[in-house]
Amino acid sequence: MKKLIKNNVHWIGKIDWELTEFHGSDFSINHGSSQNAYLIQEEKTVLIDTVWEPHSNEFIENLKSEIDLKKIDYIIVNHGEIDHSGALPALLAEIPDTPIYCTKNGVKSLIGQFHHPEWNYNVVKTGDTLDIGNGKKLIFVEMPMLHWPDSMATYMTEDNILFSNDAFGQHFAVGELFNDYADQCILWEQAMKYYANILNPFSTLVARKIDEVVGLNLPIDIIATSHGVIWREDPLKIIHKYAEWAKEYKEDQITILYDSMWNSTQKLAHAIASELQELSPATRVKVLNVAKTDKNDGMTEIFRSRAIAVGSPTISNEIMNSVAGWLHFIKDLKFRGKKAAVFGAYGWSGEGNKILRGALTDAGFEVVEPEIKVNWNPEEEDLLKARELAVELLK
Ligand code: FEO
């Protein structure tokens, strides 16, 4: 059922309480999610985005219970990824000539995914407008790589609503929709997780786009995202958070990541944590066994950290595959302005530290000396090296 957002604007999406993963299994979902679509009924009737294909029948039935589909004058596709465009084939089967407004890359993405070059595409660029009657208009703002090349936002004048699509969203199911109803701890945790795991690689572009949007001086009363809450209480707070997160964000936190075969590397991880806590009580220190930690929650901890220490024993001239998988993901996310240290135990060959150092350097970290490399089980003197390593990480 539709829910009122403001005046003649309603939400008509899907609250997805059951969803546990996204992008295949690449993003873990802790508290459900939503696919938010919007219906504007001014002199013109406008649909902004749709939902994921598995929910398309339910979505179209909901739409039909509110309006005659033939009354839809325009469909705005802010982003072609199928969690927002998945209901288009079923919808356009019923209203095939309805104009679709999207970016040039949006056309490519929709044709590539749905194979309907005959749909009535209308390409828009930043600053283009669409009159929707009653003195109101839509203004389009291209948002390339936030987070796909085709992404854009749509601003509605007079009601001052920014339909931001993925930007400023979170995977968080909130039935009451608005940010002032949501559990604030979960909301901000999920907003940061979304940024760290999806938008962080594009932080330079995010910072530039935020400056551009703020520079437009458009009054913003509501930010209507495509996932999670709709920001109506202090809506600019999330924009300011994005500006902060986009600039090599770090808190006074150091996170130690490791896996261990027979607990030698684990002993080193715990020794480094103890030394950090003793040397700098104000620093938040976290220890994560990567084989037992959700990788997306772990990436959020790295995002918050000013430094990390990564440990693995050497196994078959390599590092453990759990640690290797995390390092691959860390590289993808393009963290900047953070230090790292490496440590690990070995039995006979001991290549682990070198591999860790190379991978972290490739991923953009400043890898400090010393490292801790222990043959078999650590002795007292090995554990003492943890202090030297902690001192360097804290500098
Ligand atoms: Fe929510 Fe990029 O799709």
Side-chain angles (χ1 to χ4, degrees), residues 234-247:
D234 193 5
L236 298 188
K237 186 173 174 183
I238 185 66
I239 296 184
H240 294 141
K241 277 287 171 196
Y242 264 46
E244 198 183 336
W245 293 342
K247 290 180 181 146

Side-chain angles (χ1 to χ4, degrees), residues 44 60 80 90 122 148 153 181 211 231 239 371:
K44 298 291 186 185
I60 288 168
N122 295 265
W148 272 19
Y181 279 105
D211 288 346
W231 304 91
I239 296 184
E371 59 186 42

